[in-house]
């Protein structure tokens, strides 16, 4: 399994930019719906920024979906593009995503 990990010590000096592709299986996206499947890797272009008690991650997520119409059963492809993706990840307290100096974004 390939992971997308951020070192919090690097974020103390400056924001970190991340770009690449992750297989859908590594993100737990397989088998969620019998009519919609992720066709290939999920592309990401993200910027991670340390806030006071959290990690702000924002940027672009993109994936191609293989879909099947529930009415006519015709197959088609659809590109899912989230150009303004943003998530605030807790670094302290119960349910924290932090593991030592690292946060796994996958």
């Amino acid at each position: 399994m390939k992971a997308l990990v951020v070192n919090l010590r690097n974020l103390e000096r400056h924001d970190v930019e991340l770009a690449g592709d992750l297989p859908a299986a590594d993100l737990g996206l397989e088998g969620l719906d019998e009519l919609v499947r992720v066709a290939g890797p999920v592309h990401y272009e993200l910027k991670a920024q340390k806030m006071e008690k959290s990690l702000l991650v924002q940027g672009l997520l993109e994936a191609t979906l293989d879909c099947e119409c529930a009415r006519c059963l015709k197959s088609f492809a659809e590109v899912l593009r989230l150009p303004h993706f943003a998530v605030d990840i807790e670094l302290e307290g119960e349910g924290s995503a932090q593991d030592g100096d690292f946060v796994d974004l996958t």
Side-chain angles (χ1 to χ4, degrees), residues 25-47:
D26 289 359
L27 298 170
L29 298 176
E30 290 185 327
L32 296 176
D33 189 309
E34 62 186 44
L35 298 177
V36 179
R37 290 168 296 288
V38 180
V42 175
H43 177 73
Y44 61 89
E45 294 174 18
L46 303 170
K47 180 167 95 173

Side-chain angles (χ1 to χ4, degrees), residues 3 5 8 16 27 33 42-43 56 64 69 73 75 88 102 104:
V5 177
L8 295 173
V16 173
L27 298 170
D33 189 309
V42 175
H43 177 73
L56 176 63
T64 300
C69 177
L73 301 178
S75 296
D88 190 40
F102 300 94
D104 185 351

Side-chain angles (χ1 to χ4, degrees), residues 52-95:
E52 190 173 322
K53 296 181 181 181
S54 66
L55 180 65
L56 176 63
V57 180
Q58 51 191 343
L60 166 78
L61 291 178
E62 187 174 82
T64 300
L65 306 176
D66 283 336
C67 307
E68 187 174 316
C69 177
R71 189 169 44 114
C72 70
L73 301 178
K74 186 175 182 178
S75 296
F76 62 97
E78 186 71 31
V79 174
L80 175 64
R81 184 175 168 82
L82 305 172
H84 304 291
F85 172 81
V87 64
D88 190 40
I89 301 170
E90 290 280 330
L91 295 178
E92 296 179 4
E94 196 172 317

